[in-house]
């Protein structure tokens, strides 16, 4: 059963070291051998690693169907990458833009949901537009769930666009906030979940990224 709200650990990116690169692994839900492959590429600790489980041809009968999310197909489309027959990897540098402050957070579990937050404050003359991504990610420890390495499985994802027109009207500096309820898998331990967010400029460069850390 879920812990009382007062006993749950809250998570935010405040004080955490920002990642230097985005490293996304896409695995088809049909390819259990891909998930179990100990030679799967993995970056250093400075990268923001994400594991997308892509719906497979076997549908609900695929070995990893329970972890597959339709947002993985959306992400491949955004990246203009084809549906991988088995797996694929996408990497991108994070090129911090001076004056931007990005934060993500994850609230306590309530009736199977957690609140995911993403906020961006601009202290420069650049006011967007920005493309934002907010994800709920499950940490899978090495040697669990059949994986020979740590995994960071995307369980929910939203993306959108911020402009000067939808910045908070009461802020002295351009400031945007996104708050979304995100559902946890049934029976999952909330402590294994954290939020990830990043922002891209009009040219598609990742100019800010953050990952929540539980305190």
């Amino acid at each position: 059963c879920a812990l009382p709200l007062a006993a749950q650990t809250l998570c935010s990116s405040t004080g955490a070291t920002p990642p230097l690169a985005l490293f996304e692994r896409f695995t088809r839900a049909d390819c259990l051998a891909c998930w179990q492959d100990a030679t799967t590429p993995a970056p250093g600790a400075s990268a923001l690693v994400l594991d997308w489980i892509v719906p497979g041809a076997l549908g609900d009968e695929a070995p990893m169907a329970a972890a597959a999310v339709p947002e993985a197909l959306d992400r491949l489309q955004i990246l203009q990458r084809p549906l991988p027959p088995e797996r694929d990897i996408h990497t991108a540098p994070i090129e911090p833009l001076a004056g931007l402050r990005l934060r993500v957070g994850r609230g306590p579990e309530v009736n199977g949901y957690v609140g995911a937050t993403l906020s961006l404050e601009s202290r420069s003359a650049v006011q967007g537009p920005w493309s934002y991504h907010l994800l709920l990610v499950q940490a899978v420890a090495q040697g669990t769930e059949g994986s020979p390495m740590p995994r960071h499985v995307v369980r929910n994802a939203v993306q959108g666009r911020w402009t000067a027109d939808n910045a908070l009207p009461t802020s002295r500096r351009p400031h945007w906030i996104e708050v979304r309820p995100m559902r946890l898998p049934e029976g999952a331990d909330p402590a294994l979940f954290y939020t990830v967010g990043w922002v891209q400029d009009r040219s598609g460069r990742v100019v800010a990224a953050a990952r929540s850390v539980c305190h």
Side-chain angles (χ1 to χ4, degrees):
C1 61
L3 290 171
L5 296 186
Q8 293 191 42
T9 300
L10 301 185
C11 308
S12 77
S13 60
T14 301
T17 302
L20 301 180
L22 187 60
F23 191 96
E24 300 175 84
R25 297 183 290 220
F26 296 86
T27 305
R28 287 295 292 271
D30 302 324
C31 190
L32 184 60
C34 299
W35 176 264
Q36 297 172 336
D37 185 1
T39 66
T40 299
S46 62
L48 181 58
V49 184
L50 299 171
D51 286 288
W52 297 88
I53 308 301
V54 184
L58 297 177
D60 291 342
E61 299 302 316
M64 296 187 292
V69 290
E71 292 86 354
L73 299 173
D74 297 336
R75 180 61 179 156
L76 286 168
Q77 186 175 23
I78 289 172
L79 295 173
Q80 299 182 337
R81 300 175 82 90
L83 187 68
E86 292 185 345
R87 54 188 171 181
D88 189 17
I89 289 176
H90 170 259
T91 63
I94 297 171
E95 306 173 64
L97 189 61
L100 290 185
R101 186 177 185 181
L102 183 70
R103 294 178 178 177
V104 293
R106 194 223 74 195
E109 184 271 338
V110 180
N111 295 328
Y113 287 82
V114 293
T117 61
L118 178 71
S119 70
L120 178 70
E121 183 180 5
S122 176
R123 300 182 179 183
S124 69
V126 182
Q127 299 186 20
W130 315 107
S131 297
Y132 70 81
H133 298 262
L134 175 60
L135 284 59
L136 180 67
V137 179
Q138 180 180 3
V140 176
Q142 180 178 0
T144 64
E145 304 293 340
S147 176
M149 63 184 59
R151 296 280 188 172
H152 309 271
V153 182
V154 178
R155 287 296 197 163
N156 205 326
V158 296
Q159 60 92 22
R161 183 179 172 86
W162 284 329
T163 67
D165 293 335
N166 57 21
L168 291 179
T170 57
S171 178
R172 290 181 297 175
R173 299 187 180 98
H175 195 179
W176 299 265
I177 293 180
E178 189 70 22
V179 181
R180 295 291 185 102
M182 291 188 170
R183 187 170 185 174
L184 299 172
E186 187 174 354
D189 180 0
L192 299 177
F193 291 79
Y194 60 92
T195 46
V196 161
W198 72 87
V199 170
Q200 296 172 233
D201 65 11
R202 64 172 71 241
S203 68
R205 293 183 307 156
V206 182
V207 294
R211 167 184 169 167
S212 67
V213 176
C214 296
H215 303 283

